[in-house]
Amino acid sequence: MTKSIITFIFLFLFFGGKAQKIAGKVVNSKNETLLGVTIYWKGKINQAVVSDFDGAFSINRNTNDKLLIYTYLGQKDSLEVYESETILLSLKENTQELSEVVVSSKATVIDRLSPIHTEIITSKTLAKAACCNLSESFETNGSVTVSYSDAVTGAKQIQLLGLSGLYVQTNFENMPLVRGLAVPFGLNYTPGTWVQSIDLAKGVGSVLNGYENMVGTINVELKKPDQSERKLINGYVNSFGRLEYNGNFTKKLNKNWGTTFLSHASGMISKIDNNADGFLDLPKYGQINVLNRWKYTSDKISFQVGAKMLYDERVGGQSGFKSRTETPLFYGFTNKTIRPEGFLKIAKLFPNAPYRGLGFIVNAVHHNSKSYFGFKPYNGVENTFYSNLIYQSIIGNSNHTFKTGLSFMWDNFDEKYGGFILKRNEAVPGAYFEYAYNNLGKTILVLGLRDDYHNLYGNKISPRIHFKQDIGLNQTLRLSAGTGFRVSNPLADYYGNLVSSRTVQFLDKILPEQSSTFGGSYAIDLKKLNLNVEAYHTEFKNQLIADTEHSNYLYFYNLEGKSFTNSFLAEMNYKIASGFDLKMAYRWVESKQTQGKPFDEKVLMDKMFLAKDRILFNVAYALPYEKWKFDLTVQYNGRRRIADSKSQLDHSSYQSIKAIYAPNFANVNAQVSKNYTYFEWYLGGENLNNYKQKDPIIAANDPFGTKFDAGMVWGPVTGAMIYSGFRYKLK
Amino acid sequence: MKNVIVLFVMIFGISFASNAQKASAKTEEVTFQTSAKCGMCKMRLEKDMSLAKGVKEAKLDLDSKKMTIAFNPKKTNKKKLQKAIAKIGYDADELVCDKTAHDALPGCCQKSASAHIE
């Protein structure tokens, strides 16, 4: 929900001996004084002060204190205070603006005020790599890994806390984004230039956003009329023959109205087959994507209405393939996706009671995807309607707040894969309540409960708990626990496995996947150094197992027995000198699930394609004002279990399946950028060490035979890539 | 693979070399009276002007609202710098600001805003 009460802070600075004292006043847009606003310097929450009846406050300031943060009933903002000047700043109470300010010194920012462990990835972090789209936005992130789901389609999948992105709710502005039939290519459908910031919340999410945030939540904020540049033009080209154009245009029409038009066109124009297996390493594709949003803001109400339209077409497979009729002897992959979408967001504001808020979100999507794997068609149509009504207020005083609301999801699926017909109509009304105890931002306890009535699977209750405690000056402990569920769309979820001669077999009627996740994090935030350790455990009550242990079959069945994942992350950010940052992260995961239904067995096995160890190293150097910027990232991925494709005989028992491992490998990415007042130019490279998985496609020479499989990818398919681009910005 | 790394080292090297060159080039200085208002204006002007072509350093004095720019005369000149300030949305001496840019500034930075320093 967007809050747009404009608050003015008047700051009057004066000197009082050695320690400077700052006095000020907090008022809202109606010039009414605000009582009970918590104000503190970044990292010194224990020395927070609170504004009095006249909205007045005074706070001591040392020379190192630059960023003044103020919070008011869950809303938060910050401003940078310079020298001993008297300044007047107009600020919008919006978390995105906060992240923009806070991030100015560090590459990774953990939202200190959020009870949920949340990393904020801003457009500044995104600019560290040429993030063409969402799938490339996590390149310098320690906890998220992104990989191709197969060697043909170009579809990408993410992994967080050792679990597939399927269990991470990926939203844009709290509305569904990578979900349902959009799972295979959803990450490719959000251009990086459109992104304002990304919130990455780990562990089970808030009940506000539904039941699907089982292990994490990725919320993408796109550019909005009140925050965007007037004009942003981006062009990009890489050595594989990919071209990109992005154009963002924003116009403020008057005091109340503003509009933003986001446009994107991209394509892969050349055929590349670097590993000479006769298959294109990446499909040729073309995409056109536009979004137009209108925003109205006043003291009492704020609303946004927008429409999105996507068209994406791709052709992959053997390089000789043109079309199924022209070249019937060649294996081809084609996909055509059309996705129109509309949304409406309304926020009712209460100027006399700023702690109160009423928000309403409506989102409607039509998704139409037509694919061919060789001669096998897979067509899917999904119509989704999502709405959420949120009300928030306080209980007695601002230490006790609550959010409550009603949601409704209607989702209609119509899929056809060869002879299979999968039709499903979901109608899920839900209600939720979330209580938060907040003691000056130091101690926060959030208790949430939601109840969803699923028309196909009955009543489901999802309890959640989040706790945050600041310890001393700069340490924060967070704990969370809760349950969630989702309904799988097996063909979309395991799209990459369809590029094979495997026979798809459903051994069970699909049941919802249900999990509980608990864990926590401990962060130490010093001036130059911040350290962060996290550990999470997820256990499935039910899971849809996609069994690829037999080379000729893709079996789907419900979990019978145990399935769990443990993950651990240690991360360090160190500021060597001004403009010189170092980041190191180590991640360990263990994921096991019970398989064996095809043989009536129950064997707990390591999940395939998941590297146990991963190390990330990032060093960034920037001259003042980022006139020049240098960035280098090295990733090391440990070995992972893969399917035994070499032995030609089928296994007779799951007990005897030999564990085969893919080798470990590293990746080197680097980028240089040069900034001018309105213009930025960048040159970079990915996978500069040119590491390639040998023979990513099994039986590439016989794609219509029984052994063909392009879904067994564990490493980079393409070799080294060089890219260059520019951004032209007019603020 | 090695070639690519060598290429990158070269690019890094060249960019540093070009910086070093800038430092050794002759520097001139110019001062403009601007219509800046507050600390935000100072941040904006200093950042944007520091990134302008040929500029070595740009500082704004908030008391006098005067901007002093050190620049390389081979790459830019006083006229261009004056125009650059106007394009950000501020008056520079007799040159009036670009209206669109000025109107896009936050309220407290616009010329109509009352003086913030009492």
Side-chain angles (χ1 to χ4, degrees), chain A residues 82 85-89 230 621 623 625 627-628 630 670 672 675-678 683-685 688-689 722 731, chain B residues 1 4 8 11-12 15 19 39-40 43 46-48 50-52 55 62 87-88 100-101 104 108 116:
Chain A
Y82 278 83
E85 295 139 13
T86 310
I87 51 173
L88 157 69
L89 287 178
R230 272 183 286 157
Y621 179 73
L623 288 165
Y625 299 112
K627 217 167 187 168
W628 282 95
F630 306 92
V672 186
N675 250 311
Y676 297 93
T677 315
Y678 305 101
L683 173 73
L688 289 167
N689 50 329
I722 305 288
K731 276 179 194 142
Chain B
M1 165 188 151
V4 181
F8 260 79
I11 292 165
F12 274 55
S15 40
N19 266 350
M40 274 174 91
M43 279 167 67
E46 287 182 354
K47 182 180 181 207
D48 284 4
S50 296
L51 293 174
V55 173
L62 256 189
K87 204 181 164 191
I88 299 166
T100 332
C108 67
H116 307 333

CSV table of all heavy atoms in Angstrom, one decimal, chain A residues 82 85-89 230 621 623 625 627-628 630 670 672 675-678 683-685 688-689 722 731, chain B residues 1 4 8 11-12 15 19 39-40 43 46-48 50-52 55 62 87-88 100-101 104 108 116:
chain,number,residue,atom,x,y,z
A,82,TYR,N,23.3,17.5,6.4
A,82,TYR,CA,24.7,18.0,6.0
A,82,TYR,C,25.1,19.2,6.8
A,82,TYR,O,24.4,20.1,7.0
A,82,TYR,CB,24.7,18.3,4.5
A,82,TYR,CG,24.9,17.1,3.6
A,82,TYR,CD1,23.8,16.3,3.3
A,82,TYR,CD2,26.1,16.7,3.2
A,82,TYR,CE1,23.9,15.2,2.5
A,82,TYR,CE2,26.3,15.6,2.4
A,82,TYR,CZ,25.2,14.8,2.1
A,82,TYR,OH,25.3,13.7,1.4
A,85,GLU,N,23.8,23.2,8.3
A,85,GLU,CA,22.9,24.1,7.6
A,85,GLU,C,21.4,23.9,8.0
A,85,GLU,O,21.1,22.8,8.5
A,85,GLU,CB,22.9,23.7,6.1
A,85,GLU,CG,24.2,24.1,5.5
A,85,GLU,CD,24.7,23.0,4.5
A,85,GLU,OE1,23.8,22.1,4.1
A,85,GLU,OE2,25.8,23.0,4.1
A,86,THR,N,20.7,24.9,7.9
A,86,THR,CA,19.3,24.8,8.2
A,86,THR,C,18.6,24.3,6.9
A,86,THR,O,18.7,24.9,5.9
A,86,THR,CB,18.7,26.1,8.6
A,86,THR,OG1,19.5,26.7,9.6
A,86,THR,CG2,17.3,26.0,9.2
A,87,ILE,N,17.9,23.2,7.0
A,87,ILE,CA,17.3,22.7,5.8
A,87,ILE,C,15.9,22.3,6.0
A,87,ILE,O,15.4,22.0,7.0
A,87,ILE,CB,18.1,21.5,5.2
A,87,ILE,CG1,18.3,20.4,6.3
A,87,ILE,CG2,19.4,21.8,4.6
A,87,ILE,CD1,18.8,19.1,5.8
A,88,LEU,N,15.2,22.4,4.8
A,88,LEU,CA,13.8,22.0,4.8
A,88,LEU,C,13.7,21.0,3.7
A,88,LEU,O,14.1,21.2,2.6
A,88,LEU,CB,12.9,23.2,4.5
A,88,LEU,CG,11.6,22.9,3.9
A,88,LEU,CD1,10.7,22.3,4.9
A,88,LEU,CD2,11.0,24.2,3.3
A,89,LEU,N,13.2,19.8,4.1
A,89,LEU,CA,13.0,18.8,3.1
A,89,LEU,C,11.6,18.3,3.0
A,89,LEU,O,10.9,18.1,4.0
A,89,LEU,CB,13.9,17.6,3.5
A,89,LEU,CG,15.4,17.7,3.3
A,89,LEU,CD1,16.1,16.5,3.8
A,89,LEU,CD2,15.8,18.0,1.8
A,230,ARG,N,12.3,11.9,-15.6
A,230,ARG,CA,11.4,12.3,-16.6
A,230,ARG,C,11.6,11.4,-17.8
A,230,ARG,O,10.6,11.1,-18.5
A,230,ARG,CB,11.7,13.7,-17.0
A,230,ARG,CG,10.9,14.8,-16.2
A,230,ARG,CD,11.3,16.1,-16.7
A,230,ARG,NE,12.6,16.6,-16.3
A,230,ARG,CZ,13.3,17.5,-17.0
A,230,ARG,NH1,12.8,18.1,-18.0
A,230,ARG,NH2,14.5,17.8,-16.6
A,621,TYR,N,34.7,-0.6,-6.9
A,621,TYR,CA,35.5,0.6,-6.7
A,621,TYR,C,34.8,1.8,-7.5
A,621,TYR,O,34.5,1.6,-8.7
A,621,TYR,CB,36.9,0.5,-7.1
A,621,TYR,CG,37.7,1.7,-6.9
A,621,TYR,CD1,38.1,2.1,-5.6
A,621,TYR,CD2,38.1,2.5,-8.0
A,621,TYR,CE1,38.8,3.3,-5.4
A,621,TYR,CE2,38.8,3.7,-7.8
A,621,TYR,CZ,39.1,4.1,-6.5
A,621,TYR,OH,39.8,5.3,-6.3
A,623,LEU,N,34.9,6.1,-8.2
A,623,LEU,CA,35.4,7.5,-7.9
A,623,LEU,C,34.3,8.3,-7.4
A,623,LEU,O,33.1,8.0,-7.5
A,623,LEU,CB,36.0,8.0,-9.2
A,623,LEU,CG,37.3,7.4,-9.6
A,623,LEU,CD1,37.6,7.7,-11.1
A,623,LEU,CD2,38.4,7.8,-8.7
A,625,TYR,N,31.2,10.6,-6.8
A,625,TYR,CA,30.0,10.7,-7.7
A,625,TYR,C,29.9,9.6,-8.7
A,625,TYR,O,29.2,9.8,-9.7
A,625,TYR,CB,29.9,12.1,-8.3
A,625,TYR,CG,29.9,13.2,-7.4
A,625,TYR,CD1,31.0,14.1,-7.2
A,625,TYR,CD2,28.8,13.4,-6.6
A,625,TYR,CE1,30.9,15.1,-6.3
A,625,TYR,CE2,28.7,14.4,-5.7
A,625,TYR,CZ,29.8,15.3,-5.5
A,625,TYR,OH,29.8,16.3,-4.6
A,627,LYS,N,31.9,8.8,-11.0
A,627,LYS,CA,32.4,9.2,-12.3
A,627,LYS,C,32.9,8.0,-13.1
A,627,LYS,O,32.6,7.8,-14.2
A,627,LYS,CB,33.6,10.2,-12.1
A,627,LYS,CG,33.6,11.3,-13.1
A,627,LYS,CD,34.5,12.4,-12.6
A,627,LYS,CE,34.4,13.6,-13.5
A,627,LYS,NZ,35.1,14.7,-13.0
A,628,TRP,N,33.7,7.2,-12.4
A,628,TRP,CA,34.0,5.9,-12.9
A,628,TRP,C,33.7,4.8,-11.9
A,628,TRP,O,33.8,5.1,-10.7
A,628,TRP,CB,35.6,5.8,-13.2
A,628,TRP,CG,36.0,6.4,-14.4
A,628,TRP,CD1,36.5,7.7,-14.5
A,628,TRP,CD2,36.1,5.9,-15.7
A,628,TRP,NE1,36.8,8.0,-15.8
A,628,TRP,CE2,36.6,6.9,-16.6
A,628,TRP,CE3,35.8,4.7,-16.3
A,628,TRP,CZ2,36.8,6.7,-17.9
A,628,TRP,CZ3,36.0,4.5,-17.6
A,628,TRP,CH2,36.5,5.5,-18.4
A,630,PHE,N,33.9,0.5,-11.1
A,630,PHE,CA,34.5,-0.8,-11.5
A,630,PHE,C,33.9,-1.9,-10.6
A,630,PHE,O,33.7,-1.7,-9.4
A,630,PHE,CB,36.0,-0.8,-11.3
A,630,PHE,CG,36.7,0.3,-12.1
A,630,PHE,CD1,37.0,1.5,-11.4
A,630,PHE,CD2,37.0,0.1,-13.4
A,630,PHE,CE1,37.6,2.5,-12.1
A,630,PHE,CE2,37.6,1.2,-14.1
A,630,PHE,CZ,37.9,2.4,-13.4
A,670,ALA,N,32.5,-9.0,-14.7
A,670,ALA,CA,33.1,-7.7,-14.4
A,670,ALA,C,32.4,-6.6,-15.2
A,670,ALA,O,31.8,-6.9,-16.3
A,670,ALA,CB,34.6,-7.7,-14.8
A,672,VAL,N,32.7,-2.1,-16.1
A,672,VAL,CA,33.2,-0.8,-15.9
A,672,VAL,C,32.1,0.2,-16.4
A,672,VAL,O,31.5,-0.1,-17.4
A,672,VAL,CB,34.4,-0.5,-16.9
A,672,VAL,CG1,35.0,0.8,-16.6
A,672,VAL,CG2,35.4,-1.6,-16.7
A,675,ASN,N,30.2,7.7,-15.8
A,675,ASN,CA,29.0,8.5,-15.6
A,675,ASN,C,29.2,9.9,-16.0
A,675,ASN,O,30.3,10.5,-15.7
A,675,ASN,CB,28.7,8.5,-14.1
A,675,ASN,CG,27.5,7.8,-13.7
A,675,ASN,OD1,26.5,7.9,-14.4
A,675,ASN,ND2,27.6,6.9,-12.8
A,676,TYR,N,28.3,10.5,-16.8
A,676,TYR,CA,28.2,11.9,-17.0
A,676,TYR,C,27.0,12.4,-16.4
A,676,TYR,O,26.2,11.7,-15.8
A,676,TYR,CB,28.2,12.2,-18.5
A,676,TYR,CG,29.5,11.7,-19.2
A,676,TYR,CD1,29.5,10.4,-19.8
A,676,TYR,CD2,30.6,12.5,-19.3
A,676,TYR,CE1,30.7,10.0,-20.5
A,676,TYR,CE2,31.7,12.1,-20.0
A,676,TYR,CZ,31.8,10.8,-20.5
A,676,TYR,OH,32.9,10.4,-21.1
A,677,THR,N,26.7,13.7,-16.5
A,677,THR,CA,25.6,14.3,-15.8
A,677,THR,C,24.3,13.6,-16.2
A,677,THR,O,23.4,13.2,-15.4
A,677,THR,CB,25.4,15.8,-16.1
A,677,THR,OG1,26.8,16.3,-16.0
A,677,THR,CG2,24.5,16.5,-15.2
A,678,TYR,N,24.1,13.4,-17.5
A,678,TYR,CA,22.8,12.8,-18.0
A,678,TYR,C,23.0,11.4,-18.7
A,678,TYR,O,22.1,10.8,-19.2
A,678,TYR,CB,22.1,13.7,-19.0
A,678,TYR,CG,21.9,15.1,-18.4
A,678,TYR,CD1,22.7,16.1,-18.8
A,678,TYR,CD2,20.9,15.3,-17.5
A,678,TYR,CE1,22.5,17.4,-18.3
A,678,TYR,CE2,20.7,16.6,-17.0
A,678,TYR,CZ,21.5,17.6,-17.4
A,678,TYR,OH,21.3,18.9,-16.8
A,683,LEU,N,30.5,-1.1,-19.9
A,683,LEU,CA,31.0,-2.2,-20.7
A,683,LEU,C,31.3,-3.3,-19.7
A,683,LEU,O,31.9,-3.1,-18.6
A,683,LEU,CB,32.3,-1.8,-21.3
A,683,LEU,CG,33.2,-2.9,-22.0
A,683,LEU,CD1,32.5,-3.3,-23.3
A,683,LEU,CD2,34.6,-2.4,-22.3
A,684,GLY,N,30.9,-4.6,-20.0
A,684,GLY,CA,31.1,-5.6,-19.0
A,684,GLY,C,31.2,-7.0,-19.7
A,684,GLY,O,31.0,-7.1,-20.9
A,685,GLY,N,31.4,-8.0,-18.8
A,685,GLY,CA,31.5,-9.3,-19.4
A,685,GLY,C,30.9,-10.3,-18.3
A,685,GLY,O,31.0,-10.1,-17.1
A,688,LEU,N,33.5,-14.6,-17.8
A,688,LEU,CA,34.7,-14.2,-18.5
A,688,LEU,C,35.7,-15.4,-18.5
A,688,LEU,O,36.6,-15.4,-19.4
A,688,LEU,CB,35.3,-13.0,-17.8
A,688,LEU,CG,34.5,-11.7,-18.1
A,688,LEU,CD1,35.0,-10.6,-17.2
A,688,LEU,CD2,34.7,-11.3,-19.6
A,689,ASN,N,35.6,-16.3,-17.5
A,689,ASN,CA,36.5,-17.4,-17.6
A,689,ASN,C,36.1,-18.5,-18.5
A,689,ASN,O,36.7,-19.5,-18.7
A,689,ASN,CB,36.7,-18.0,-16.1
A,689,ASN,CG,35.3,-18.3,-15.5
A,689,ASN,OD1,34.4,-17.6,-15.8
A,689,ASN,ND2,35.3,-19.3,-14.7
A,722,ILE,N,30.5,-10.6,-23.7
A,722,ILE,CA,30.8,-9.2,-23.5
A,722,ILE,C,29.6,-8.4,-23.9
A,722,ILE,O,29.0,-8.7,-24.9
A,722,ILE,CB,32.0,-8.8,-24.4
A,722,ILE,CG1,33.2,-9.7,-24.3
A,722,ILE,CG2,32.4,-7.3,-24.2
A,722,ILE,CD1,34.0,-9.6,-23.0
A,731,LYS,N,16.3,13.9,-15.2
A,731,LYS,CA,15.6,13.9,-13.9
A,731,LYS,C,14.4,14.8,-13.9
A,731,LYS,O,14.3,15.8,-14.6
A,731,LYS,CB,16.5,14.2,-12.8
A,731,LYS,CG,17.3,12.9,-12.4
A,731,LYS,CD,18.2,13.2,-11.2
A,731,LYS,CE,19.2,12.0,-11.1
A,731,LYS,NZ,20.5,12.4,-10.8
B,1,MET,N,40.1,-17.3,-22.7
B,1,MET,CA,39.8,-16.9,-21.4
B,1,MET,C,40.8,-15.9,-20.9
B,1,MET,O,40.5,-14.9,-20.3
B,1,MET,CB,39.8,-18.2,-20.5
B,1,MET,CG,39.8,-17.9,-19.0
B,1,MET,SD,40.0,-19.4,-18.1
B,1,MET,CE,40.9,-18.8,-16.7
B,4,VAL,N,40.6,-12.5,-22.5
B,4,VAL,CA,39.5,-11.7,-22.0
B,4,VAL,C,39.9,-11.0,-20.7
B,4,VAL,O,39.7,-9.8,-20.6
B,4,VAL,CB,38.2,-12.6,-21.7
B,4,VAL,CG1,37.1,-11.7,-21.2
B,4,VAL,CG2,37.8,-13.3,-23.0
B,8,PHE,N,40.3,-6.9,-20.0
B,8,PHE,CA,39.7,-6.2,-18.9
B,8,PHE,C,40.8,-5.4,-18.2
B,8,PHE,O,40.5,-4.2,-17.8
B,8,PHE,CB,38.9,-7.1,-18.0
B,8,PHE,CG,37.5,-7.0,-18.3
B,8,PHE,CD1,37.0,-7.7,-19.4
B,8,PHE,CD2,36.7,-6.2,-17.6
B,8,PHE,CE1,35.6,-7.6,-19.7
B,8,PHE,CE2,35.3,-6.1,-17.9
B,8,PHE,CZ,34.8,-6.8,-19.0
B,11,ILE,N,41.4,-2.3,-20.1
B,11,ILE,CA,40.4,-1.3,-20.0
B,11,ILE,C,40.5,-0.6,-18.7
B,11,ILE,O,40.4,0.6,-18.7
B,11,ILE,CB,39.0,-2.0,-20.2
B,11,ILE,CG1,38.8,-2.5,-21.6
B,11,ILE,CG2,37.9,-1.0,-19.9
B,11,ILE,CD1,37.7,-3.4,-21.8
B,12,PHE,N,40.7,-1.3,-17.6
B,12,PHE,CA,40.9,-0.7,-16.3
B,12,PHE,C,42.1,0.2,-16.4
B,12,PHE,O,42.0,1.4,-15.9
B,12,PHE,CB,41.2,-1.8,-15.2
B,12,PHE,CG,39.9,-2.4,-14.7
B,12,PHE,CD1,39.0,-3.0,-15.5
B,12,PHE,CD2,39.7,-2.4,-13.3
B,12,PHE,CE1,37.8,-3.5,-14.9
B,12,PHE,CE2,38.6,-2.9,-12.7
B,12,PHE,CZ,37.6,-3.5,-13.6
B,15,SER,N,41.4,3.4,-18.4
B,15,SER,CA,40.6,4.4,-17.7
B,15,SER,C,41.3,5.1,-16.6
B,15,SER,O,41.1,6.3,-16.4
B,15,SER,CB,39.3,3.8,-17.2
B,15,SER,OG,39.6,2.5,-16.7
B,19,ASN,N,42.4,9.1,-16.4
B,19,ASN,CA,42.1,10.0,-15.2
B,19,ASN,C,43.4,10.7,-14.8
B,19,ASN,O,43.4,11.9,-14.5
B,19,ASN,CB,41.7,9.1,-14.0
B,19,ASN,CG,40.2,9.0,-13.9
B,19,ASN,OD1,39.5,9.7,-14.6
B,19,ASN,ND2,39.7,8.1,-13.1
B,39,GLY,N,20.3,22.7,1.0
B,39,GLY,CA,21.3,21.6,1.0
B,39,GLY,C,21.1,20.6,-0.1
B,39,GLY,O,22.0,20.0,-0.7
B,40,MET,N,19.8,20.4,-0.4
B,40,MET,CA,19.5,19.5,-1.5
B,40,MET,C,20.0,20.1,-2.9
B,40,MET,O,20.5,19.3,-3.7
B,40,MET,CB,17.9,19.3,-1.6
B,40,MET,CG,17.4,18.2,-0.7
B,40,MET,SD,15.6,18.2,-0.7
B,40,MET,CE,15.4,17.0,-2.1
B,43,MET,N,23.7,19.5,-3.0
B,43,MET,CA,24.0,18.1,-3.4
B,43,MET,C,23.8,17.8,-4.9
B,43,MET,O,24.6,17.2,-5.5
B,43,MET,CB,23.1,17.1,-2.6
B,43,MET,CG,23.5,16.8,-1.2
B,43,MET,SD,22.2,16.0,-0.3
B,43,MET,CE,22.2,14.4,-1.1
B,46,GLU,N,26.3,19.9,-7.1
B,46,GLU,CA,27.7,19.4,-7.0
B,46,GLU,C,27.9,18.1,-7.7
B,46,GLU,O,28.8,17.8,-8.4
B,46,GLU,CB,28.1,19.4,-5.5
B,46,GLU,CG,28.4,20.7,-5.0
B,46,GLU,CD,28.9,20.7,-3.5
B,46,GLU,OE1,28.9,19.6,-2.9
B,46,GLU,OE2,29.3,21.8,-3.0
B,47,LYS,N,26.9,17.3,-7.5
B,47,LYS,CA,26.9,15.9,-8.2
B,47,LYS,C,26.9,16.1,-9.7
B,47,LYS,O,27.7,15.6,-10.4
B,47,LYS,CB,25.8,15.0,-7.7
B,47,LYS,CG,25.9,13.7,-8.3
B,47,LYS,CD,24.8,12.7,-7.8
B,47,LYS,CE,25.0,11.4,-8.5
B,47,LYS,NZ,23.8,10.6,-8.7
B,48,ASP,N,25.8,16.8,-10.2
B,48,ASP,CA,25.6,16.9,-11.6
B,48,ASP,C,26.8,17.6,-12.3
B,48,ASP,O,27.2,17.2,-13.4
B,48,ASP,CB,24.3,17.6,-11.9
B,48,ASP,CG,23.1,16.6,-11.7
B,48,ASP,OD1,23.3,15.5,-11.2
B,48,ASP,OD2,22.0,17.1,-11.9
B,50,SER,N,29.9,17.9,-11.2
B,50,SER,CA,31.1,17.1,-11.1
B,50,SER,C,31.2,16.1,-12.2
B,50,SER,O,32.2,15.6,-12.6
B,50,SER,CB,31.2,16.4,-9.7
B,50,SER,OG,31.3,17.3,-8.7
B,51,LEU,N,30.0,15.6,-12.6
B,51,LEU,CA,29.9,14.6,-13.7
B,51,LEU,C,29.9,15.2,-15.1
B,51,LEU,O,29.9,14.4,-16.0
B,51,LEU,CB,28.7,13.7,-13.4
B,51,LEU,CG,28.7,12.8,-12.2
B,51,LEU,CD1,27.4,12.1,-12.0
B,51,LEU,CD2,29.8,11.8,-12.2
B,52,ALA,N,29.8,16.5,-15.2
B,52,ALA,CA,29.8,17.1,-16.5
B,52,ALA,C,31.2,17.0,-17.2
B,52,ALA,O,32.2,16.8,-16.5
B,52,ALA,CB,29.4,18.6,-16.4
B,55,VAL,N,34.9,18.6,-16.2
B,55,VAL,CA,34.9,19.2,-14.8
B,55,VAL,C,35.8,18.4,-13.9
B,55,VAL,O,35.7,17.2,-13.8
B,55,VAL,CB,33.5,19.3,-14.3
B,55,VAL,CG1,33.5,19.8,-12.8
B,55,VAL,CG2,32.7,20.3,-15.2
B,62,LEU,N,26.9,27.7,0.1
B,62,LEU,CA,25.5,27.9,0.4
B,62,LEU,C,25.1,29.3,0.9
B,62,LEU,O,24.0,29.8,0.7
B,62,LEU,CB,24.9,26.9,1.4
B,62,LEU,CG,24.1,25.7,0.8
B,62,LEU,CD1,23.5,24.9,1.8
B,62,LEU,CD2,23.0,26.2,-0.2
B,87,LYS,N,20.6,23.9,-17.4
B,87,LYS,CA,19.9,22.7,-17.8
B,87,LYS,C,19.5,21.8,-16.5
B,87,LYS,O,18.5,21.1,-16.6
B,87,LYS,CB,20.8,21.8,-18.7
B,87,LYS,CG,20.0,20.9,-19.6
B,87,LYS,CD,20.9,20.0,-20.5
B,87,LYS,CE,20.1,18.9,-21.0
B,87,LYS,NZ,20.9,17.9,-21.7
B,88,ILE,N,20.3,22.0,-15.4
B,88,ILE,CA,19.9,21.3,-14.2
B,88,ILE,C,18.7,21.9,-13.6
B,88,ILE,O,17.9,21.3,-12.8
B,88,ILE,CB,21.1,21.2,-13.2
B,88,ILE,CG1,22.3,20.5,-13.9
B,88,ILE,CG2,20.7,20.5,-11.9
B,88,ILE,CD1,23.6,20.7,-13.2
B,100,THR,N,11.6,23.5,-17.8
B,100,THR,CA,11.1,22.1,-17.6
B,100,THR,C,11.9,21.5,-16.4
B,100,THR,O,11.4,20.9,-15.5
B,100,THR,CB,11.3,21.3,-18.8
B,100,THR,OG1,11.2,22.1,-20.0
B,100,THR,CG2,10.3,20.2,-18.9
B,101,ALA,N,13.3,21.7,-16.5
B,101,ALA,CA,14.1,21.1,-15.4
B,101,ALA,C,13.8,21.8,-14.1
B,101,ALA,O,13.7,21.1,-13.1
B,101,ALA,CB,15.6,21.3,-15.8
B,104,ALA,N,10.7,20.6,-12.5
B,104,ALA,CA,10.7,19.2,-12.0
B,104,ALA,C,11.5,19.1,-10.7
B,104,ALA,O,11.5,18.0,-10.0
B,104,ALA,CB,11.4,18.3,-13.1
B,108,CYS,N,11.0,22.7,-2.5
B,108,CYS,CA,11.9,23.5,-1.7
B,108,CYS,C,13.1,24.0,-2.4
B,108,CYS,O,13.9,24.8,-2.0
B,108,CYS,CB,12.3,22.7,-0.4
B,108,CYS,SG,13.4,21.3,-0.8
B,116,HIS,N,15.4,29.5,3.1
B,116,HIS,CA,15.3,28.5,4.2
B,116,HIS,C,16.1,29.0,5.5
B,116,HIS,O,15.8,28.5,6.5
B,116,HIS,CB,15.8,27.1,3.8
B,116,HIS,CG,15.1,26.6,2.6
B,116,HIS,ND1,13.9,27.0,2.2
B,116,HIS,CD2,15.6,25.8,1.7
B,116,HIS,CE1,13.6,26.4,1.1
B,116,HIS,NE2,14.6,25.6,0.7
